[in-house]
Amino acid sequence: MISPARAPARADPNPCGANMSLSSSSTQEEINAHYRAALTAYTDAFTARDPEAILKLFAPGASLEDPVGSGRFVNGIDALRPYFIRACGRDIKMRIDGHISCSKGDAACAPIRVDVDGSVIHAISVARFDQEGLIIRYEAYWGPGDLEGPDPSIGRPI
């Protein structure tokens, strides 16, 4: 959990487009605003097909599971880089599809609409953050009841 009294200043104060950085004096409201900006920046960077902008949101040892329960884990920046390069090569558009909720700790979640290859996925994304405000764990929750559209291969690995 990020404690406002312990959150260090960011070396790169603006990787997610937020007009703030986390510091030892950041309030939980400021920390949560940063988390919301990070999730918004994530979806914007996907839509812009910008894997480097996505990677700037993640800590070096971050992990990703998409979808949760699939057994497909991506661990560390060296594995995330080719994953996001492949993903950004597809016709993927993402947008936040409702309110981004934050915790009193180090997490935020958002309903996300993913338009991909002619189909739609309705997902809930959960991100956990480190003390610098970088994503350390990203989980996308979606399954067979969350898909719309004609593409039967939508669940294939990116």
Side-chain angles (χ1 to χ4, degrees), residues 63-74 137-141:
S63 65
L64 175 142
E65 185 180 9
D66 183 0
V68 169
S70 67
R72 294 191 307 245
F73 297 92
V74 185
R137 177 116 176 105
Y138 187 91
E139 299 172 322
Y141 291 83

Side-chain angles (χ1 to χ4, degrees), residues 15-79:
C16 66
N19 191 17
M20 65 162 292
S21 62
L22 299 181
S23 72
S24 60
S25 63
S26 293
T27 66
Q28 192 65 51
E29 285 183 3
E30 292 167 333
I31 291 167
N32 287 351
H34 176 83
Y35 295 169
R36 288 182 177 100
L39 285 174
T40 300
Y42 179 81
T43 60
D44 291 348
F46 244 112
T47 297
R49 295 184 174 186
D50 188 347
E52 292 304 316
I54 296 169
L55 288 165
K56 287 180 183 178
L57 302 170
F58 284 81
S63 65
L64 175 142
E65 185 180 9
D66 183 0
V68 169
S70 67
R72 294 191 307 245
F73 297 92
V74 185
N75 296 307
I77 286 292
D78 291 341

Side-chain angles (χ1 to χ4, degrees), residues 42-125:
Y42 179 81
T43 60
D44 291 348
F46 244 112
T47 297
R49 295 184 174 186
D50 188 347
E52 292 304 316
I54 296 169
L55 288 165
K56 287 180 183 178
L57 302 170
F58 284 81
S63 65
L64 175 142
E65 185 180 9
D66 183 0
V68 169
S70 67
R72 294 191 307 245
F73 297 92
V74 185
N75 296 307
I77 286 292
D78 291 341
L80 287 167
R81 178 168 274 105
Y83 174 86
F84 286 127
I85 289 170
R86 279 191 309 277
C88 287
R90 294 177 70 186
D91 184 20
I92 297 175
K93 294 182 179 31
M94 287 188 178
R95 68 178 168 88
I96 304 294
D97 201 25
H99 179 74
I100 300 171
S101 295
C102 296
S103 68
K104 292 184 180 180
D106 65 353
C109 66
I112 295 182
R113 177 187 167 115
V114 182
D115 292 274
V116 56
D117 301 332
S119 295
V120 175
I121 300 171
H122 298 280
I124 299 294
S125 291

